[in-house]
């Protein structure tokens, strides 16, 4: 088993304040004093990911590119990607990746979306601008998000992302479980 990772710097594959703040909250609760920085990186998936595969692929690419964009200064890269499942659900994936290339993916709340929203997204509209138009909330994607709108603020977007971040960090938070060994081993 490797020595437990105690990161000094964490790179987030986004500059969206709700995403960076979610990572900062979880990281500093786990490892006080860690520096968290946001980096604008491409997801490699459509602007509005559809389905779990695209959403997870976007999170994985963002984590990898966040590490690269930090130029070797970060110990962990965190990628967060939101998507819409064609069956009508909001998806939120997080990937954590270390410099050894080890990754862990976790998901947050999977909640239903109104049929009118799902139909519009499946016809090519992006969720954020759509909800700004239909819900009348400017900057919704950098603020409360769909989860905040549809739960009337009971869960905000930062809280949504915190759950996914904490789950993705499990292998580094509890390394005694030897997360990265072969399942057949």
């Amino acid at each position: 088993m490797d020595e437990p990772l105690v990161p000094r710097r964490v790179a987030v594959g986004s500059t969206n304040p709700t995403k960076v703040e979610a990572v900062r909250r979880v990281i500093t609760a786990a490892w006080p004093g860690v520096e968290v920085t946001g980096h604008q990186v491409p997801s490699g998936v459509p602007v509005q990911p559809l389905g779990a595969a695209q959403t997870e692929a976007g999170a994985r690419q963002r984590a990898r590119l966040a590490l690269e964009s930090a130029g070797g200064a970060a110990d962990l890269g965190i990628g967060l990607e939101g998507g819409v499942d064609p069956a009508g659900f909001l998806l939120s994936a997080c990937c954590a990746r270390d410099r050894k290339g080890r990754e862990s993916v976790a998901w947050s709340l999977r909640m239903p979306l109104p049929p009118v929203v799902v139909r519009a997204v499946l016809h090519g509209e992006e969720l954020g601008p759509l909800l700004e138009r239909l819900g009348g909330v400017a900057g919704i994607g950098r603020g409360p998000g769909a989860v905040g709108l549809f739960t009337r603020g009971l869960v905000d977007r930062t809280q949504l992302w915190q759950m996914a971040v904490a789950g993705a960090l499990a292998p580094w938070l509890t390394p005694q479980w030897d997360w990265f060994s072969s399942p057949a081993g």
Side-chain angles (χ1 to χ4, degrees):
M1 180 170 52
D2 291 335
E3 284 294 313
L5 173 69
V6 178
R8 293 181 320 277
R9 291 182 188 89
V10 173
V12 182
S14 176
T15 57
N16 184 305
T18 60
K19 292 180 177 183
V20 175
E21 178 62 14
V23 174
R24 187 196 64 72
R25 287 181 188 178
V26 173
I27 290 291
T28 59
W31 300 290
V34 174
E35 178 185 340
V36 176
T37 57
H39 300 263
Q40 188 64 42
V41 299
S43 68
V45 297
V47 173
Q48 180 56 72
L50 292 177
Q54 284 185 2
T55 305
E56 182 175 328
R60 285 181 186 275
Q61 172 148 316
R62 287 183 187 276
R64 183 179 56 77
L65 293 179
L67 266 179
E68 288 177 12
S69 68
D75 301 299
L76 283 172
I78 305 289
L80 301 148
E81 190 69 44
V84 173
D85 184 305
F89 294 91
L90 179 69
L91 301 174
S92 307
C94 176
C95 177
R97 181 183 177 97
D98 67 18
R99 288 189 288 184
K100 295 179 181 180
R102 298 177 301 186
E103 290 183 337
S104 173
V105 174
W107 297 82
S108 192
L109 173 69
R110 180 179 182 262
M111 66 172 274
L113 293 170
V116 65
V117 171
V118 177
R119 281 192 299 272
V121 169
L122 292 178
H123 283 97
E125 290 198 55
E126 186 181 347
L127 186 60
L130 171 67
L131 293 180
E132 285 183 12
R133 182 171 52 80
L134 296 178
V137 181
I140 196 165
R142 297 179 79 76
V147 68
L149 176 66
F150 295 125
T151 67
R152 285 189 10 223
L154 293 173
V155 178
D156 68 31
R157 196 161 187 243
T158 301
Q159 292 169 316
L160 172 88
W161 287 119
Q162 282 180 254
M163 292 187 298
V165 172
L169 289 173
W172 293 277
L173 295 169
T174 57
Q176 69 271 23
W177 288 91
D178 202 19
W179 292 83
F180 297 111
S181 67
S182 169

